[in-house]
């Protein structure tokens, strides 16, 4: 008997796990979704689940909110049915509704149609590509049909930056040779092309706008952009051909010694060099502009505390009309229809529960984050404190992975601006003298301030910056300064030095 009870217990636990698994997976997925993804999810469910509708005000037939539990939404009594209170007669408009499983409501269809029409009217014109831009210019060149076709083929080989490079996934991009272009042309057309014709086609491309396209390396690209409109065109060509590394490392005295030019002319030419574009084709690469919609709003109250609420205006509100529960329990309906309804109602309730869980978790997590980072909101970024997700998980009473999902790709609007929730997390370093943890954000902030105020003729070394940190009450190692300087893409003191004659 004990073995039987054990087997029955295991079967029950396995059954419960199988019942919970899809529901819990959906809850985790909904929690991790940013607001835009949640909007898409809700719109998709509205189309696929006929028992879900958009909420417009307080509907009389709306089902009451249910508490989250592990049982199926439609509980069964001994007779196998749920007792519902009949609040209204079945809507005759729905008599033939279930002939199409995925048919949405008329109200939603009309609204969806209007929203789709509005979206289509507001669609931005597709941006022109680099290849399109170049091909349009071919009409202005005096090319015969064969020359134009070969030039178009060369244009098609350009990468996003406008270079003739072979991008191998396992190697550094290398120039495409004239011979390779000729072989590829022969493979595509079955026609042998002389290498001189290929060179002519490349020359045609290099004479198109933007200047610098159709080249095979940075030097060639930059040289193609130099013309007589520059103040020092010849010196500019010399810097490109022989001194790009010296320019990168700010070795102006070395350039002066090798070229015999005065320091002022070199500095002026370097400024001209900065006006050249090493990636002339990149401006045509389509970019997906991302508009940040905050998931949470944090506002300061008159009492000086912070009010935290979800950005509900951006989240579609959905409901389950009560008539579908009535239809599911009405024995006069076809058994297949009732079974279909029960499955759809269960799916809808799971979705609503998951959304409610997301709301509660997001509010609770944000509240604890704001409580920990009040100094940041009161006084500014340099007062942010070290914070780990484990700390928030302990405060909220959830697993750390739940916190991670809750803050992933979520944004919060605060009195100091809109920030990703992950911005409030971060480690730090311990002040060797005070024993107090200092957030890395504070170190970055101070480091930026020190370098902004330094003498450009004599920039601060990393050792000198360490001393400035000590003066500010922060004892940190030189390697920490170096790490954050490099992370902020701040050059070394030698590279920051401004030379004078």
């Amino acid at each position: 008997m004990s073995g039987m009870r054990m087997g029955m217990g295991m079967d029950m636990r396995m059954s419960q796990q199988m019942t919970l698994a899809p529901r819990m997976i959906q809850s985790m997925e909904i929690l991790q979704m940013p607001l835009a993804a949640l909007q898409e999810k809700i719109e998709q469910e509205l189309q696929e689940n006929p028992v879900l509708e958009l909420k417009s005000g307080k509907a009389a037939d709306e089902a009451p909110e249910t508490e989250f539990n592990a049982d199926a939404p439609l509980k069964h009594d001994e007779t196998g049915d749920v007792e519902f209170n009949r609040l209204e007669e079945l809507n005759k408009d729905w008599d033939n509704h279930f002939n199409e499983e995925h048919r949405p409501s008329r109200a939603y269809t009309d609204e969806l149609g209007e929203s789709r029409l509005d979206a289509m009217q507001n669609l931005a014109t597709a941006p022109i590509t680099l290849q399109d831009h170049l091909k349009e210019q071919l009409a202005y060149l005096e090319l015969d049909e064969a020359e134009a076709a070969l030039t178009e083929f060369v244009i098609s080989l350009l990468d996003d930056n406008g270079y003739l490079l072979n991008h191998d996934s396992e190697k550094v991009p290398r120039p495409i040779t004239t011979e390779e272009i000729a072989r590829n042309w022969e493979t595509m057309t079955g026609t042998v092309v002389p290498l001189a014709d290929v060179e002519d086609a490349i020359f045609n491309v290099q004479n198109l706008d933007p200047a610098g396209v159709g080249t095979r390396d940075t030097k060639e690209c930059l040289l193609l952009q130099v013309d007589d409109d520059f103040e020092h065109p010849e010196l500019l060509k010399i810097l490109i051909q022989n001194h790009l590394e010296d320019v990168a490392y700010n070795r102006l005295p070395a350039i002066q010694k090798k070229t015999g030019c005065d320091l002022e002319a070199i500095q002026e030419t370097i400024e001209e060099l900065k006006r050249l574009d090493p990636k002339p084709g990149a401006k045509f690469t389509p970019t997906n502009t991302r508009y940040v919609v905050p998931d949470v709003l944090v506002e300061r109250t008159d009492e000086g505390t912070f009010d935290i609420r979800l950005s509900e205006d951006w989240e579609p509100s959905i409901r389950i009309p009560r008539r579908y529960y009535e239809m599911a329990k009405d024995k006069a309906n076809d058994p297949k229809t009732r079974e279909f309804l029960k499955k759809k109602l269960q799916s809808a309730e799971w979705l609503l529960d998951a959304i409610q869980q997301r709301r509660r978790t997001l509010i609770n997590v944000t509240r604890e984050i704001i409580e920990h980072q009040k100094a940041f909101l009161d006084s500014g970024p340099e007062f942010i404190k070290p914070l780990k997700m484990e700390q928030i998980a302990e405060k909220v009473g959830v697993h750390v992975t739940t916190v991670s999902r809750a803050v992933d790709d979520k944004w919060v609007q605060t009195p100091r601006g809109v920030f990703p929730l992950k911005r409030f997390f971060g480690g730090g370093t311990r002040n060797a003298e005070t024993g107090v943890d200092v957030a890395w954000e504070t170190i970055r902030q101070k480091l930026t301030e020190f370098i902004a105020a330094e003498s450009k003729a004599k920039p601060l070394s990393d050792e000198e910056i360490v001393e400035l940190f000590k003066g500010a009450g922060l004892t940190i190692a030189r390697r920490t300064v170096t790490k954050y300087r490099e992370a902020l893409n701040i050059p070394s003191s030698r590279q920051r030095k401004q030379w004078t004659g």
Side-chain angles (χ1 to χ4, degrees), residues 41-42 94 102 369:
K41 173 69 174 177
I42 291 175
W94 291 89
H102 298 301
I369 292 173

Side-chain angles (χ1 to χ4, degrees), residues 137-149 151-152 200 204:
Q137 300 173 57
L138 293 183
Y140 300 99
L141 301 181
E142 295 181 359
L143 304 177
D144 60 33
E145 186 176 343
E147 290 171 331
T151 303
E152 279 199 28
D200 288 342
N204 292 336

Side-chain angles (χ1 to χ4, degrees), residues 76-292:
H76 295 271
D77 58 17
E78 292 180 357
T79 64
D81 283 309
V82 176
E83 290 301 327
F84 292 100
N85 294 322
R86 181 177 294 276
L87 298 180
E88 61 177 2
E89 292 296 325
L90 292 179
N91 191 331
K92 295 182 180 179
D93 291 341
W94 291 89
D95 285 347
N96 299 318
H97 172 80
F98 298 105
N99 292 332
E100 295 180 35
E101 178 173 343
H102 298 301
R103 178 180 170 188
S105 70
R106 180 182 300 275
Y108 176 67
T109 303
D110 292 342
E111 182 166 346
L112 182 63
E114 291 176 3
S115 65
R116 282 177 177 166
L117 181 60
D118 291 341
M120 289 174 65
Q121 292 174 338
N122 290 301
L123 280 176
T125 304
I128 188 170
T129 66
L130 172 64
Q131 282 72 18
D132 291 338
H133 177 69
L134 296 173
K135 289 176 183 178
E136 286 178 358
Q137 300 173 57
L138 293 183
Y140 300 99
L141 301 181
E142 295 181 359
L143 304 177
D144 60 33
E145 186 176 343
E147 290 171 331
L150 185 56
T151 303
E152 279 199 28
F153 179 66
V154 173
I155 289 174
S156 71
L157 299 177
L158 299 177
D159 68 7
D160 289 342
N161 295 322
Y163 286 90
L164 282 171
L165 296 179
N166 186 349
H167 289 263
D168 191 312
S169 60
E170 298 179 358
K171 301 176 182 177
V172 175
R174 60 173 181 79
I176 299 176
T177 66
T178 306
E179 290 78 10
E180 284 179 313
I181 296 176
R183 285 198 301 270
N184 291 338
W185 174 262
E186 182 179 354
T187 300
M188 185 182 77
T189 66
T191 305
V192 177
V193 60
L195 296 184
D197 289 356
V198 176
E199 291 291 352
D200 288 342
I202 294 173
F203 178 79
N204 292 336
V205 175
Q206 292 179 351
N207 279 279
L208 300 176
D209 175 77
V213 297
T215 53
R216 294 179 173 94
D217 58 47
T218 304
K219 286 185 180 181
E220 186 183 9
C221 174
L222 297 178
L223 285 171
L224 202 59
Q225 299 176 49
V226 179
D227 55 36
D228 293 336
D229 291 336
F230 288 91
E231 187 74 21
H232 308 280
E234 294 307 316
L235 179 55
L236 181 53
K237 291 178 182 178
I238 292 173
L239 292 186
I240 294 171
Q241 289 172 327
N242 305 319
H243 297 288
L244 286 181
E245 185 176 336
D246 289 330
V247 172
Y249 287 95
N250 202 27
R251 295 195 287 252
L252 271 59
I255 298 174
Q256 184 181 26
K257 182 178 179 180
K258 293 175 182 178
T259 62
C261 298
D262 63 80
L263 198 58
E264 184 178 356
I266 293 172
Q267 290 173 325
E268 291 174 354
T269 307
I270 289 176
E271 290 304 312
E272 291 183 325
L273 176 61
K274 292 178 181 177
R275 286 160 46 194
L276 304 181
D277 189 353
K279 298 179 179 180
K283 63 174 71 92
F284 293 92
T285 302
T287 56
N288 295 322
T289 304
R290 180 179 180 184
Y291 298 95
V292 172

Side-chain angles (χ1 to χ4, degrees), residues 11-24:
D11 289 342
M12 289 177 64
R13 284 195 298 273
M14 288 179 65
S15 176
Q16 289 173 348
Q17 288 172 359
M18 291 176 66
T19 302
L20 283 172
R23 191 171 196 167
M24 296 306 296

Side-chain angles (χ1 to χ4, degrees), residues 372-410:
H372 187 89
Q373 301 292 11
K374 279 184 178 178
F376 170 88
L377 297 178
D378 288 334
S379 306
E382 63 182 292
F383 292 93
I384 196 167
K385 297 179 181 179
L387 178 63
K388 295 181 179 180
M389 290 187 185
E390 289 84 354
Q391 295 172 255
I392 298 300
E394 185 176 352
K395 289 279 188 180
V396 178
V398 297
H399 195 274
V400 66
T401 56
T402 300
V403 175
S404 177
R405 290 189 177 95
V407 303
D408 186 45
D409 211 9
K410 309 296 194 309

